[in-house]
């Protein structure tokens, strides 16, 4: 009953709309530029670069700039690697292996840098999606596109400082504490195990979009303990199921590129408004973004796409919870209770 009441409660949205506007603007501006240049093939690179805006959303301006710059560099790297895998025509098994390695490395880097949202979820999304979709441009064009989108997000993230109504002083950087490498490596190991298992299971089942299972496996792992991981997995699955139904309504032919860009922007805005307040509601809006972003370059069967998304979200979330339960030591009362580093509360 406690979890049910908590699930049904939606906190007030005050303080969440401004960061959501920044992220939405950082998505719309690069998309419009690419459409004006008649380069819809580069839109996925721009979309992932714009996700740099989700990092450090609640931090002071200069600290946000530092963390977004660090996250943007990691985002550029993962997108370029994903595009390179796509151009090389790598197999599904090779993509699973590469995603597993990237998940472990990015987890270590993100935990060490203490960026929020924590963990490799966003980067794995960028790598696996770009590696799974055929790319017809050049690697240099992809790199310039994602870098330009990252730069747009950085400018929007710091713009409020220039026009602030109150000239607040720059806050000093909090004293750094030595990195707990034991916990950092343990957390990284969880991501490695979950991504490898979920991706392998999805490829073996032949669902056709195995990268969604790897993405779903990352979502619950940043929860504080085994109980929170189960709750977050439940939010992810239920929100994805509802998002799949919304996607089925939206995945219809007839969208012009400009209309699609505006639709993605509105969905991203709604997702960012709810992502801290209610994760399941956020997934209702963010799931169509993941499914619609390929609409600039191709059309896919609606029901096949949406059912695959629901199935692989379930696979990944269940695998993640299993990994957390198997790797969380029990206390004397028999309950799991250790906390990995960096709780993901965006």
């Amino acid at each position: 009953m406690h979890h049910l009441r908590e699930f049904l409660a939606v906190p007030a949205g005050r303080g969440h709309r401004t960061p959501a506007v920044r992220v939405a603007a950082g998505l719309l501006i690069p998309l419009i530029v690419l459409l004006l240049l008649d380069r819809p093939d580069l839109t996925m690179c721009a979309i992932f670069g714009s996700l740099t805006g989700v990092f450090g959303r609640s931090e002071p301006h200069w600290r946000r700039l530092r963390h977004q710059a660090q996250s943007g560099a990691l985002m550029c790297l993962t997108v370029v690697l994903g595009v390179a895998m796509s151009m090389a025509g790598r197999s599904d098994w090779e993509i699973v292996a590469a995603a597993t390695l990237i998940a472990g490395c990015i987890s270590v880097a993100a935990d060490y840098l203490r960026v929020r949202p924590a963990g490799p979820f966003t980067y794995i999304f960028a790598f696996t999606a770009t590696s799974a979709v055929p790319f017809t441009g050049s690697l240099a064009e992809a790199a310039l596109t994602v870098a330009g989108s990252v730069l747009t997000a950085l400018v929007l993230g710091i713009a409020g400082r220039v026009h602030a109504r109150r000239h607040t002083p720059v806050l000093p950087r909090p004293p750094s504490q030595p990195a707990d490498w034991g916990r950092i490596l343990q957390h990284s190991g969880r991501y490695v195990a979950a991504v490898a298992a979920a991706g392998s299971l999805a490829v073996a089942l032949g669902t056709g979009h195995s990268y969604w299972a790897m993405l779903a496996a990352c979502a619950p792992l940043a929860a504080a303990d085994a109980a929170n991981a189960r709750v977050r997995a439940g939010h992810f699955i239920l929100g994805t199921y509802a998002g799949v139904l919304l996607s089925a309504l939206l995945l219809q032919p007839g969208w012009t590129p400009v209309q699609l860009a505006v639709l993605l922007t509105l969905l991203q805005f709604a997702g960012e408004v709810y992502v801290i307040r209610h994760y399941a509601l956020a997934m209702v809006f963010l799931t169509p973004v993941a499914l619609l972003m390929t609409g600039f370059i191709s059309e896919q069967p609606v029901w096949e796409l949406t059912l695959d998304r629901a199935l692989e979200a379930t696979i990944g979330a269940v695998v993640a919870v299993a990994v957390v339960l198997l790797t969380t030591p029990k206390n004397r009362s028999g309950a799991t209770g250790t906390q990995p580093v960096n709780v993901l509360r965006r």
Side-chain angles (χ1 to χ4, degrees):
M1 291 301 298
H2 169 73
H3 290 314
L4 179 61
R5 288 193 298 268
E6 193 175 64
F7 181 84
L8 295 177
V10 181
R14 184 178 181 181
H16 298 284
R17 297 185 184 92
T18 299
V21 168
R22 285 199 305 264
V23 175
L27 172 63
L28 182 61
I29 293 171
L31 286 182
I32 294 299
V33 170
L34 288 176
L35 294 179
L36 290 175
L37 295 175
D38 195 25
R39 292 302 305 270
D41 56 311
L42 296 172
T43 50
M44 283 191 68
C45 298
I47 290 171
F48 288 120
S50 74
L51 294 184
T52 301
V54 308
F55 293 92
R57 54 180 285 169
S58 302
E59 295 179 332
H61 289 92
W62 297 111
R63 197 177 303 160
R64 181 193 304 149
L65 177 62
R66 181 176 67 251
H67 283 161
Q68 286 188 344
Q70 294 166 338
S71 303
L74 293 175
M75 184 61 70
C76 289
L77 177 62
T78 51
V79 168
V80 169
L81 288 174
V83 170
M85 293 282 287
S86 174
M87 296 176 67
R90 299 301 182 183
S91 67
D92 289 342
W93 288 108
E94 289 174 310
I95 291 175
V96 170
T100 300
L101 178 61
I102 290 173
C105 294
I106 293 291
S107 176
V108 171
D111 285 348
Y112 178 76
L113 295 172
R114 294 183 172 90
V115 296
R116 296 293 188 276
F121 177 88
T122 308
Y123 311 103
I124 288 296
F125 185 17
F127 171 76
T128 54
T130 52
S131 63
V133 175
F135 184 74
T136 57
S138 69
L139 194 60
E141 289 173 331
L144 287 174
T145 301
V146 66
S149 191
V150 166
L151 182 60
T152 302
L154 295 180
V155 171
L156 291 171
I158 199 62
R161 178 68 192 180
V162 178
H163 299 286
R165 294 180 179 178
R166 299 177 182 178
H167 185 68
T168 54
V170 177
L171 296 179
R173 184 175 182 176
S176 59
Q177 299 177 351
D180 188 342
W181 285 106
R183 287 191 172 188
I184 288 176
L185 294 176
Q186 179 192 31
H187 205 208
S188 174
R190 283 178 168 177
Y191 281 108
V192 167
V195 170
S200 299
L201 182 58
V203 172
L205 291 175
T207 55
H209 297 89
S210 57
Y211 67 93
W212 283 333
M214 293 184 282
L215 177 64
C218 292
L221 291 184
D225 51 33
N228 284 344
R230 290 194 294 269
V231 171
R232 191 172 184 84
H235 273 254
F236 185 86
I237 292 174
L238 293 176
T240 298
Y241 287 168
V244 162
L245 295 177
L246 178 59
S247 301
L249 297 176
L250 297 175
L251 280 168
Q252 302 297 333
W255 293 102
T256 68
V258 173
Q259 289 173 336
L260 187 56
V262 172
L263 176 62
L264 288 175
T265 300
L266 293 175
L267 290 169
Q268 186 70 40
F269 170 80
E272 291 300 319
V273 167
Y274 286 107
V275 73
I276 294 179
R277 298 161 58 200
H278 197 284
Y279 194 65
L281 276 177
M283 291 309 302
V284 173
F285 299 105
L286 295 178
T287 297
V289 174
L291 297 178
L292 286 165
M293 65 170 61
T294 59
F296 290 101
I297 54 178
S298 65
E299 292 184 0
Q300 302 185 52
V302 175
W303 288 109
E304 177 183 340
L305 196 65
T306 52
L307 290 175
D308 278 356
R309 173 65 170 169
L311 174 61
E312 297 199 23
T314 306
I315 292 173
V318 170
V319 167
V321 172
V323 168
V324 171
L325 291 174
L326 291 173
T327 58
T328 302
K330 293 184 178 181
N331 56 29
R332 293 180 180 179
S333 64
T336 55
T338 60
Q339 289 191 346
V341 295
N342 284 344
V343 179
L344 177 53
R345 295 286 295 177
R346 277 174 47 178

